[in-house]
Amino acid sequence: MIFFNKVTKIYPAHFTKKETVVLEDISFKIDKGEFVSIVGRSGAGKTTLFRIILGEERPTEGSVFFDGQDIHKIPFTRFHKTRRRIGTIFQDYKLLSSKTVYENVAYAMEVTGTKDEEIERDVPELLETVGLLEKASHFPYQLSGGEQQRTAIARALIHQPDVILADEPTGDLDPYHARDVMNILLRINEGGTTVVLATHNKETVNDLCKRVITLKDGRIANDCEKGKFIL
Amino acid sequence: MTNPFTSLKRVLIFGWKNFSREIGLSLVSIFVLVVTISLITSLFLIRGLSEEAISEVEDKADMTIDFEGIVSEERIMELEGEISEKFDIDKTDYISREEAKERFVESFGDRPVVMEALDEVGNPFPASLNIKAGDPDTYRAISEFANDSYPELIYGIDFYGRQAVVEGIFSITETLRSAGIIVSSLLALIAVLLVFNTVKLAIYGMKEEIRVMGLVGSSSMFIQGSFVTQGVITGIVSALLSFIVFLVALMLVPYTYMEVNVYKHLLESMPFVLIMQLSVGVILGVVSSVVAARKYLG
């Protein structure tokens, strides 16, 4: 499903800053239906790795394949079609501030051209699942952190993507809401969706007992099935 | 397969929602656009009015050739024919000595003292030829031609008397025309840049949203479409407000200025002004939105 082939990402020197090597010679493969945790300290390169998958960054060297296609060779005008197959949950939620909870979630379906009837049927159903139906008409600034994160999760799931990229989805949440979010991700994975979770939360990773890729100083330090958070 | 009508409908709804929910930013953009459109409209109208005033002044310029008393009408007609042939002439008007006297009597017939004096001197009025040229610049050439070709006929040419004034007016109007074009273009350019920067700032505030829309899987066309719609709505609202400003101005302007019927001129320009304001508003709104949004789509 996702294949990193000797990927190196270097941010060039900039004024007083020296050249920064964020990822170095990274190679791994994630199969369809897998649940993979990418762990590492802050600044280990987890977010950059996601940004490369989403086409926001280009690798300095190497290539990244999504379903057999080199992501960075897909023309810009067609790239949105690849992004529609990926649902992304960001640590800072990245909700559209001028849209309500309902509209934020529906937006992911609307851009794909889904029929209005389907949107009107699926969005309330999913909002009920994540416990936000009553707040459907609220704007993001009217929600708590946990509610915003659940909105972001609903948005990432609504169009049934092949892959979920979750970047520190529990980072700003209390343990109760964090467990909620992890349960949702596990349920999605059980349904066959590939989940890639980036986190530095040790307990979360150890509780999962799933594959863990450990990044250290931009390199893969460890990649093991049913792994633990070891740094 | 995406239904283009569904996408269009959604783009229009998103554009309207962007406009109405970000009403603070929309109002700032509208204000700047109204100022710009009103400025462009007034530049256009002032240019139109000054063109009319200039033509009015130019229309007033003419020349009169006064002939010696003994010159026959045939010779005068001969000169008139040659002038008409050589130069671009709008109109000539021959006034015989008798006609000149009649006109004088018409004007001063009620003043016995003047009439008595006239009776004593007989007919002191020369025959004359009044000429209105198509191009006001040719008066000097006509005058030189008449003096050179028919010196024995000419008693005097009135153009010389007004020469300095007429040439002065032409020089001023020419300068006004050139200065008007330069000043209007500069002001219009400044206004357009002001609109671009305002819209750019408004969209800069939404750059993170634009990025997220892209990450969620929205195509560039879809994202830009909503900003284009927003630009169209802003442009139309601004144009309509500018038109109201124009109507208010219409009530305040003097009825006539420099013998130009200002009110009539503005009233006649109304449909064109509305179309121009709508075009300027929509084009500026759309182009600046597209250019600004494009920057954050990459």
Side-chain angles (χ1 to χ4, degrees), chain A residues 143-158:
Chain A
L143 304 174
S144 70
E147 288 167 337
Q148 289 191 51
Q149 190 59 293
R150 278 183 280 150
T151 308
I153 291 171
R155 184 182 63 188
L157 301 181
I158 191 70

Side-chain angles (χ1 to χ4, degrees), chain B residues 43-113:
Chain B
L43 289 176
F44 160 78
L45 290 173
I46 288 169
R47 243 184 86 68
L49 278 172
S50 29
E51 283 290 324
E52 216 162 290
I54 288 167
S55 317
E56 201 68 31
V57 170
E58 285 179 351
D59 272 357
K60 289 207 181 319
D62 61 2
M63 72 185 295
T64 304
I65 303 174
D66 291 329
F67 297 97
E68 296 285 357
I70 46 158
V71 176
S72 68
E73 196 176 326
E74 287 74 37
R75 299 281 335 258
I76 294 172
M77 289 301 116
E78 197 182 312
L79 170 64
E80 192 254 340
E82 277 196 48
I83 289 173
S84 299
E85 208 172 284
K86 275 185 181 300
F87 302 95
D88 170 24
I89 303 297
D90 268 357
K91 204 174 102 185
T92 56
D93 189 14
Y94 169 68
I95 300 156
S96 65
R97 296 185 67 211
E98 289 68 35
E99 258 181 278
K101 189 181 174 188
E102 275 168 30
R103 285 185 189 184
F104 185 84
V105 171
E106 266 174 41
S107 304
F108 300 99
D110 55 345
R111 295 189 194 175
V113 183

Side-chain angles (χ1 to χ4, degrees), chain B:
Chain B
M1 184 68 189
T2 311
N3 181 340
F5 292 108
T6 308
S7 296
L8 180 66
K9 183 187 84 182
R10 285 175 186 163
V11 158
L12 295 177
I13 292 172
F14 288 155
W16 167 249
K17 282 185 177 170
N18 282 353
F19 176 82
S20 56
R21 286 183 183 167
E22 301 287 345
I23 194 69
L25 285 175
S26 301
L27 285 176
V28 172
S29 305
I30 287 171
F31 176 73
V32 176
L33 255 175
V34 167
V35 171
T36 305
I37 295 170
S38 301
L39 180 70
I40 292 173
T41 309
S42 47
L43 289 176
F44 160 78
L45 290 173
I46 288 169
R47 243 184 86 68
L49 278 172
S50 29
E51 283 290 324
E52 216 162 290
I54 288 167
S55 317
E56 201 68 31
V57 170
E58 285 179 351
D59 272 357
K60 289 207 181 319
D62 61 2
M63 72 185 295
T64 304
I65 303 174
D66 291 329
F67 297 97
E68 296 285 357
I70 46 158
V71 176
S72 68
E73 196 176 326
E74 287 74 37
R75 299 281 335 258
I76 294 172
M77 289 301 116
E78 197 182 312
L79 170 64
E80 192 254 340
E82 277 196 48
I83 289 173
S84 299
E85 208 172 284
K86 275 185 181 300
F87 302 95
D88 170 24
I89 303 297
D90 268 357
K91 204 174 102 185
T92 56
D93 189 14
Y94 169 68
I95 300 156
S96 65
R97 296 185 67 211
E98 289 68 35
E99 258 181 278
K101 189 181 174 188
E102 275 168 30
R103 285 185 189 184
F104 185 84
V105 171
E106 266 174 41
S107 304
F108 300 99
D110 55 345
R111 295 189 194 175
V113 183
V114 177
M115 287 299 109
E116 271 172 37
L118 184 64
D119 285 343
E120 269 179 43
V121 292
N123 185 357
F125 302 103
S128 62
L129 187 64
N130 188 273
I131 299 169
K132 188 170 274 295
D135 177 3
D137 286 340
T138 52
Y139 287 125
R140 176 183 283 277
I142 296 170
S143 160
E144 279 168 4
F145 170 77
N147 267 326
D148 292 347
S149 314
Y150 295 86
E152 72 282 4
L153 308 187
I154 311 295
Y155 174 74
I157 296 181
D158 200 15
F159 167 71
Y160 287 117
R162 292 178 298 189
Q163 184 178 346
V165 180
V166 172
E167 285 183 348
I169 287 169
F170 292 158
S171 145
I172 290 167
T173 54
E174 275 309 310
T175 314
L176 275 178
R177 273 192 183 121
S178 322
I181 292 169
I182 295 167
V183 172
S184 312
S185 312
L186 266 177
L187 284 174
L189 182 71
I190 291 167
V192 168
L193 287 177
L194 195 67
V195 171
F196 268 98
N197 275 309
T198 310
V199 175
K200 201 171 130 189
L201 277 178
I203 292 181
Y204 176 81
M206 294 189 74
K207 70 172 183 175
E208 190 57 23
E209 296 231 346
I210 294 173
R211 188 183 148 226
V212 175
M213 287 172 185
L215 288 175
V216 170
S218 189
S219 66
S220 303
M221 290 274 281
F222 199 86
I223 298 171
Q224 281 205 323
S226 59
F227 284 105
V228 167
T229 308
Q230 200 177 346
V232 170
I233 297 170
T234 310
I236 290 173
V237 172
S238 308
L240 294 177
L241 286 175
S242 308
F243 192 66
I244 293 171
V245 171
F246 166 76
L247 290 179
V248 172
L250 198 62
M251 285 182 244
L252 299 176
V253 292
Y255 194 76
T256 53
Y257 180 69
M258 284 178 72
E259 296 187 42
V260 176
N261 189 332
V262 179
Y263 192 80
K264 186 171 155 262
H265 178 84
L266 294 183
L267 215 60
E268 278 170 1
S269 313
M270 247 162 91
F272 180 76
V273 165
L274 183 61
I275 292 168
M276 185 190 72
Q277 289 181 328
L278 278 171
S279 316
V280 171
V282 171
I283 289 170
L284 277 181
V286 169
V287 173
S288 48
S289 301
V290 168
V291 170
R294 239 178 119 83
K295 201 179 163 195
Y296 305 113
L297 280 170

